Each structure stands twice: as C-alpha cells, then as structure tokens.
Amino acid sequence: MMISLPTRFEAYGAVKIFELSRVLELDSLGMSSKPSGTHTLDYETMEEYAASTAIVVPVKDEELITLEGVLRAIPHASPIVLVSASQVSPVDVYSREVELARTLHSVTGREILVIHQRDPAWAEVLAGTPLEDMLSGGAVRSGKGEGMILGVLAAAGIGARYVGFIDSDNYVPGAANEYSKIYYAGFSLSESPYTMVRIVWHYKGKLASSDMYLRKRGRVSMHTNSVINYALSRIRRVETDIVRTANSGEHAMSIDLALRMRWAGGFAVEPYQIVQLLEDCFLGLEGGSCRLLPEGVNILQIEARNPHIHAERGDEHIAGMLAESLGTVYHSRLGSDEEVRERILGLLKDYSYEGEPPKPRVYSLEGIDPDKTLSTLLAESQMAHYFK
Amino acid sequence: MMISLPTRFEAYGAVKIFELSRVLELDSLGMSSKPSGTHTLDYETMEEYAASTAIVVPVKDEELITLEGVLRAIPHASPIVLVSASQVSPVDVYSREVELARTLHSVTGREILVIHQRDPAWAEVLAGTPLEDMLSGGAVRSGKGEGMILGVLAAAGIGARYVGFIDSDNYVPGAANEYSKIYYAGFSLSESPYTMVRIVWHYKGKLASSDMYLRKRGRVSMHTNSVINYALSRIRRVETDIVRTANSGEHAMSIDLALRMRWAGGFAVEPYQIVQLLEDCFLGLEGGSCRLLPEGVNILQIEARNPHIHAERGDEHIAGMLAESLGTVYHSRLGSDEEVRERILGLLKDYSYEGEPPKPRVYSLEGIDPDKTLSTLLAESQMAHYFK
C-alpha cells in the first residue's frame, strides 16, 4: 500500500484534522525505495499493524455470499469481530453466520469472534456498568452505534490495540481488503496514541443500479460535512472545508481513543465522533473536558481506490438519516451558533423534515473493563463463539 | 493469497487441465502455518513471482479513470506493459494514456512500458519476421489477439519470465490486484515450465446494469466451454466438464509457453489457446507436433473472489463473438467429429448466425527474437515510451 502524504492539516485545539490523502498503489509489493511525498508500507510493518488491529464487521441479515466475500478479504493477521444483529427466527440467519465463521476458521485457521447484539447474556454482562443504558427490555438496543460499541469492547477484550470497522454489505471484497490496509497505513503514519482513520469512498456513477444508493449516502455526507465545516468556519472566522468524512462508516481508531470517546447510538455514531472530539478537545479544551491530552487526536482522511458498491436496502430513509446525522451538531456546542442551527433546520426542511432533529443517545465507555466484559460474555452466552 | 488446492486434474496427452480451485483468502498477511488442502503464498514468494511477471493491459479508448484504477492496483513489483489501440485523432486519447503512465512512474517509481498497436514503427520491426502476417496497410492489424501478441513480445523483451493479461475496462481495482496475485499463486503451484493460469469470474447478479453485460460474456463462455468439453468427451468416451475458462480474458502464462504457442487474432485468441494446446499436445502428440515435451503444459483454473464489473460497450455482438470463439473448435482437429460440428452450427443458428463460423487467423511466434523486437521498436518508434 502506498498513499500520498497529506500535505497539510488544520488544528482545532487538541484535534488535528488532516487533509484528504489518496491511495497511490494498492500494493507496494517489491517496493524498495520510498518516493518523497508518499507513505509506503512494507510488509513487515503492515503485518505488525494487521496483527494488532481487530476488524469489526457489523452484520444484519445480509446475504451470506456478500458477507463471506468481506470476511475472506480481510488480511489474515487481523482478528475479525463479527457483530450480528441478524434474525434468529423464523429463519435462523445468525446460525448460518456462525457456521460461515466456523468454516472459515477451520479451513484457513484465522481468528474470528462472533457475537450477537441481542444476546440475552449482555443483560448480565452490562448490568451495573456505565453501559447499562444500552439495555432495553433485557437486551442491547438495536442500532448501528450500539453494535459498534459491542465491537469495540470485544476488540479491546481480545487484546487488539486498534479497531477498524468494515460494513458487511459490500459487494467488492477488494474494497474490504483495501480499507484494512488503509487503516494500517494511517496508524503507522500517526504519531499520537489517539488516532482515527476515516475513509472517503472513490466511486463513479457508471453502475446505474448502485449509483442511486451511493448518491443518497453521498447527500447525507455532503450536508453533514458542510454543516460541520460551516460551524468551524464561523468559530474561526476563516472558511474551511477540511472535514470530508463526517458519515464515514468505514473508519478505524486506536483502542486508547475508542475507550476514551463517548459513542452515539444508531446512525448518529459516525458524525458524533467528530462532533464530540471537537466539542471536548477544541471548544471544551479550557474547561478540562478533553481526555486526550497532552498528545491530542489525529484524524486522518484517506480516499480508497475501489468503488463502494452495496445493496439497496428498503429500510433507510434519507430524511431520517440526515436528521440523526445533523442532530449531533444541532445539540452540540458547535450548534450553539444560531446561524448553524438555522442552516440545519433549513436543510432538513428541504427534505420535508419538520422541527428539530433528534438528540443523539450517548454512551460513555469510561470505567468499563473490556477484558472482564468479554470473558463474562463468553462464559455466560449460548450465542457467542470464539474461533481461534 | 490463499487458494484451495485443486483436488484433481485430467490429463489429455501432454495437457493437464486442473479442476477449478478457489481463492480462500485475498490476503494471507501474517499467516504462519499452511493449512492442508490450501496453497498459501508468503510475501517473499509472492514478491519473487511478482517481479518476474509482466502484466499486459490492453486498452482501447477506455475511460482514463478506469484504466488508472487498474494500473494502480497491479502490485508494484510487476512491470506493466500497456498495449494501446486507442485513437490519436481527433482527440489524442493515446497521449493521455502515456501521460498517465508517466505520472504513475514519476510518483511511484514503478516500471511501465507503453506501446501502441497502430504504431507505424511496427512495420519496420516486424517486416521479414514470421509475424509479418500481422501487418496490414503498414500497421499491425486491429484485433484483441494481435494486441496481446505485441504484449507478449514486449513482456519477453523486458526480461519477464511470466506474462499475465488484465483488461483495462474493469471498474474494480481490487479485482485487478487479485488477478495478479492469482497468477503468482498459480505459477508458484505449477512444476512445469509450461504453465497457464486462467481465471474464472466470481460474480453475482445483483447489480442490474452490469449484470446484463456479465451475462452476455457468460453465454459465449458457457457455449464454448460446453463445446470443448463435448469434443473431449466424444474422443475419450467419458463425459467431462473440466474446461471452465475457454474465453477467459484474464489469464497468464510462462513466457516459455507463450513463445511456443500459436496465437489467434481477434476475439478467438483465448479459446484458441486451449484448442491448439489440445490439438498439438493431445491429438497431435504422436505426430510430433507438441513443442512442450517432455514436461507438458499445466492449465490451472482459479476462481477469483472479486466480481468482474465492466463497461457496457456498444460494439460487441454476441453472435459474432460466439462464432469467432466456436470457429476455433470448428476448424480444429477437435471439430473433425461430425457431431461436434453439428452442435456448433446448431448453437450458432440459435443466435441467428447462419453458415460456418470463421476460421481463426493464426500467428506463430517461432523464430521471433523478443529482445531485438523490443529494442528495435524503442529505437524506431515515436510513440513507444518505456518508463523505468
């Protein structure tokens, strides 16, 4: 993997946001020199980062063949944490996912942990911890953010130093492979223990059927990026368009960072990461709310070379997703500026969404012991499987 | 890269055709053991094969961004031979391809040779050689096969021990990366100096707009495979369906094999490879026409994990392509069986193609000196560029 070095960054308090960098070569196999202006990973370095990065794959009733492609694409050295929210009845989709993981493990020897978001054992595991809020009716709430939090705990529990997320509804296994390597490249580039790598998709509008979906996600992302950039511009009084990855589902971070962050539930999870880092470690810096000092956090934004092509799902509504996404800004200190709130309400109105966007449900991981969490889960659960 | 070991092969004279094997993991980064039933490439081995494999990318007026994705996906160690048949006027598409290659080389340092099929210098280079037949009106004939032959000569000329072909109209860079690694895996698996690796696409019918195209190619391939298998079954009197890759555009071979084979022009190029190997080294074995003895040739067939998604081009007609493809069998010794010829004519009739399919135009590379060919081209040509 060879990426271009970001040529500049902007610093907001203890938050450094790097300009977009790009993948120059998917595979630097056999590369001896390191051309200037590039960051090139040799295989030893890549292997080292791969082995310490757990890849969390959230899955919910995805076609097995698509999930299989993603799992087979993640470099062997990275342990996989499959976090399922799939149905168990009338058809037991979850048991097929477990079977797939078992098969992959037995043929290739790779390490895979499979957990279920609605596993009743979570009630016991999380009761009395700061994450008790995640429970509702004896199980972890449904929601993308909630599943990702479980993934972070599991990744930390198996001893990973980094955690990366890769969606399971990706038709291009090569993209999942590339995302993993981008994570390794980003981690090896950053000098802070608090590092986040966020991926920008590289896609073209040629494939008519998928184009529609890509465009929709693009719109939520475009608006959220522009609102966050507008808020930053208003505060600084210098216009910026540095944020390109507000809704980036494909992202990764050091475990040290993941455990110190607050996490939002549902679809607010990705933009809330950026919003709360800015809130705590830029606007709240003087008030002592930043837990990432003295090093501060590096947010790297890297454009992948593969297109991101995924299934069109009927259950996603752009207005609702946009509201959840912009709600993270609206209800934050970035949204204390009246102009910013007006802009958010105006944008939502264009999508026929009336009123204030929802406030994100927020969870703190402070005080959680991931080792104990995972070992209790594995001891209590009938659904979790650790193939290693 | 981890592939499943083929569990069996069929031998036809000096031609061994291996059963389909599959990619089990795109990336065996960090793999220490080699599970039984698999063939796993470590990075040292992969690098060794990558460095000795030239990847030939034929291109004809492709969108630059698609071509760029393919070029950036080929592992750094493999030199690229870009064989262009793109227009030079009214818009000079070729000069943009040269510029792209120059940019890639100057940023990443990778080796790229760019040649043009209609370069007038070829007239001088090929005159008086056994490949003089390829000339027509002072330039090399248009045609996919003809371009590939130039690619083989160039690959041999720069000292490659292996040559692999990867189409430039591939929207998934990760697929091009995977094909390269499949070639390396196949070469490292084979013990004969005469080895061919042919790729089977792994695709799903989800992407409606591309599905149509994939299905069409699938039909030509399906019929050609079935006709070749039928011919083999008739000769052996044991039914077989071993041939799965008759029309595989993505394939690779050792230079020793490439220079000993005869090559067909146009779209007949891929099926003709299999047909003439069977003709010379199975049916013609006793008559002394096989030049691949005593080792014989290994044909490996490997299914890629990435989908193959490419542009829908208006200029391809299924009936014509099918006729060119089946013509290779019809006019060969495999087609001397009346039943086989009847089946071919019947299939073509279903596509409203009347009469006999065309006889392939065939070229022999015997007696060609690739080093001299390339050095003369580079000395004489105003169009060829070697960035290294």
Side-chain angles (χ1 to χ4, degrees), chain B residues 14-45:
Chain B
V15 181
K16 274 196 288 199
I17 307 179
F18 287 78
E19 204 191 34
L20 192 70
S21 56
R22 291 192 167 81
V23 171
L24 298 175
E25 282 192 347
L26 285 189
D27 213 308
S28 44
L29 184 67
M31 180 110 209
S32 48
S33 66
K34 301 196 174 186
S36 65
T38 72
H39 177 64
T40 307
L41 255 75
D42 57 39
Y43 276 102
E44 290 68 39
T45 311

Side-chain angles (χ1 to χ4, degrees), chain B residues 190-254:
Chain B
S190 171
E191 286 174 5
S192 168
Y194 309 116
T195 299
M196 183 178 279
V197 181
R198 300 174 78 90
I199 288 178
V200 179
W201 298 335
H202 180 276
Y203 50 76
K204 305 170 295 295
K206 287 292 149 48
L207 300 162
S209 70
S210 61
D211 184 39
M212 192 180 4
Y213 188 81
L214 293 171
R215 192 154 36 79
K216 280 209 301 187
R217 282 280 281 236
R219 257 182 291 167
V220 172
S221 199
M222 184 179 75
H223 292 317
T224 313
N225 287 337
S226 86
V227 163
I228 296 176
N229 283 324
Y230 181 60
L232 289 175
S233 303
R234 297 269 307 165
I235 293 165
R236 271 280 168 90
R237 305 204 156 271
V238 180
E239 214 165 341
T240 185
D241 57 359
I242 191 76
V243 174
R244 299 282 302 270
T245 54
N247 292 83
S248 186
E250 260 69 34
H251 63 280
M253 64 194 83
S254 53

Side-chain angles (χ1 to χ4, degrees), chain B residues 129-311:
Chain B
T129 78
L131 284 177
E132 192 160 9
D133 296 3
M134 283 217 304
L135 299 172
S136 167
V140 171
R141 286 176 202 277
S142 300
K144 193 180 180 199
E146 285 81 355
M148 288 169 63
I149 293 170
L150 301 182
V152 166
L153 294 178
I158 61 173
R161 289 178 52 216
Y162 301 96
V163 58
F165 297 94
I166 295 184
D167 284 343
S168 58
D169 63 341
N170 193 325
Y171 284 127
V172 181
N177 184 258
E178 184 185 15
Y179 299 154
S180 307
K181 291 180 179 164
I182 288 175
Y183 298 158
Y184 312 151
F187 295 142
S188 70
L189 189 58
S190 171
E191 286 174 5
S192 168
Y194 309 116
T195 299
M196 183 178 279
V197 181
R198 300 174 78 90
I199 288 178
V200 179
W201 298 335
H202 180 276
Y203 50 76
K204 305 170 295 295
K206 287 292 149 48
L207 300 162
S209 70
S210 61
D211 184 39
M212 192 180 4
Y213 188 81
L214 293 171
R215 192 154 36 79
K216 280 209 301 187
R217 282 280 281 236
R219 257 182 291 167
V220 172
S221 199
M222 184 179 75
H223 292 317
T224 313
N225 287 337
S226 86
V227 163
I228 296 176
N229 283 324
Y230 181 60
L232 289 175
S233 303
R234 297 269 307 165
I235 293 165
R236 271 280 168 90
R237 305 204 156 271
V238 180
E239 214 165 341
T240 185
D241 57 359
I242 191 76
V243 174
R244 299 282 302 270
T245 54
N247 292 83
S248 186
E250 260 69 34
H251 63 280
M253 64 194 83
S254 53
I255 291 286
D256 283 343
L257 174 60
L259 295 178
R260 275 174 181 76
M261 282 201 323
R262 282 166 290 126
W263 289 74
F267 283 112
V269 58
E270 286 100 357
Y272 185 70
Q273 293 166 344
I274 290 190
V275 168
Q276 61 104 48
L277 288 173
L278 289 168
E279 207 170 21
D280 289 3
C281 293
F282 170 39
L283 302 173
L285 195 57
E286 318 250 305
S289 57
C290 183
R291 302 178 60 215
L292 310 174
L293 296 175
E295 298 90 349
V297 59
N298 286 342
I299 301 179
L300 292 154
Q301 306 183 99
I302 305 178
E303 188 182 78
R305 189 69 219 185
N306 278 284
H308 192 280
I309 301 171
H310 46 156

Side-chain angles (χ1 to χ4, degrees), chain A residues 314-364:
Chain A
D315 60 350
E316 293 182 346
H317 303 290
I318 186 160
M321 286 169 66
L322 186 61
E324 272 200 71
S325 182
L326 296 180
T328 60
V329 184
Y330 191 90
H331 298 286
S332 77
R333 286 178 64 178
L334 290 175
S336 61
D337 180 330
E338 200 52 45
E339 297 283 326
V340 172
R341 293 167 84 103
E342 288 295 324
R343 182 167 289 198
I344 291 172
L345 295 174
L347 276 171
L348 288 174
K349 217 166 191 173
D350 293 345
Y351 288 88
S352 309
Y353 186 100
E354 295 293 338
E356 293 200 338
K359 196 172 169 175
R361 188 192 304 275
V362 172
Y363 306 102
S364 166

Side-chain angles (χ1 to χ4, degrees), chain A residues 300-325:
Chain A
L300 293 154
Q301 307 183 99
I302 305 178
E303 187 181 78
R305 189 68 219 185
N306 277 285
H308 192 281
I309 300 171
H310 46 156
E312 185 106 37
R313 300 191 77 135
D315 60 350
E316 293 182 346
H317 303 290
I318 186 160
M321 286 169 66
L322 186 61
E324 272 200 71
S325 182

Side-chain angles (χ1 to χ4, degrees), chain A residues 20 105 130 185 296 356:
Chain A
L20 191 71
H105 169 73
E356 293 200 338

